Amino acid sequence: QVQLVESGGGSVQSGGSLRLSCAASGYTYRRYCMAWFRQAPGKEREGVAAIDSDGTTSYTDSVKGRFTISQDNAKNTLYLQMNSLKPEDTAMYYCAASSGWCLLTLNPSAYAYWGQGTQVTVSS
């Protein structure tokens, strides 16, 4: 059974940094995509960053140059380093993983497994 558990969320002031982690268990696919999504109250879920098993990455325009997605295969952990945070980054952040090979994408329909989320709040 695949489990994704996020951690690292919190409250920071504008301009601050946070690093989110997503620990994966029971996930044995060798070819895959993993991603971070976020959802603010009253808004649709938005793809933030994605990475595939080759290490290729993709970012939504609003976070390019500020966020970095990475993975530690030895620890089965996905990370999202968030710098220069802005109040508009405030949201629940979710980790997601595909069920096998995927074409790298920020479309949530491509992801079969989801974590419970971790809250990020950025104050001005």
Side-chain angles (χ1 to χ4, degrees), residues 3-7 19-25 27 32 34 36 51 69-80 95:
Q3 274 196 315
L4 303 175
V5 180
E6 303 97 334
S7 62
R19 187 175 82 155
L20 305 184
S21 299
C22 172
S25 60
Y27 192 72
Y32 59 81
M34 295 191 77
W36 289 96
I51 189 167
I69 189 170
S70 62
Q71 58 192 350
D72 184 333
N73 292 330
K75 295 182 179 180
N76 293 329
T77 302
L78 180 73
Y79 301 100
L80 184 67
C95 169

Side-chain angles (χ1 to χ4, degrees), residues 61-120:
D61 286 345
S62 63
V63 307
K64 285 180 181 177
R66 300 189 298 122
F67 291 11
T68 303
I69 189 170
S70 62
Q71 58 192 350
D72 184 333
N73 292 330
K75 295 182 179 180
N76 293 329
T77 302
L78 180 73
Y79 301 100
L80 184 67
Q81 178 66 44
M82 305 186 295
N83 298 328
S84 303
L85 282 161
K86 304 176 181 180
E88 51 264 43
D89 295 317
T90 295
M92 186 71 79
Y93 282 71
Y94 299 90
C95 169
S98 65
S99 56
W101 182 89
C102 77
L103 189 62
L104 192 61
T105 179
L106 292 175
N107 187 330
S109 65
Y111 296 88
Y113 305 104
W114 293 82
Q116 293 300 306
T118 185
Q119 177 68 37
V120 171

Side-chain angles (χ1 to χ4, degrees), residues 12-45:
V12 295
Q13 290 192 327
S14 182
S17 298
L18 284 173
R19 187 175 82 155
L20 305 184
S21 299
C22 172
S25 60
Y27 192 72
T28 59
Y29 298 101
R30 298 182 64 184
R31 306 293 291 175
Y32 59 81
C33 295
M34 295 191 77
W36 289 96
F37 290 80
R38 66 187 179 186
Q39 189 166 19
K43 294 189 176 182
E44 291 188 356
R45 189 166 294 191

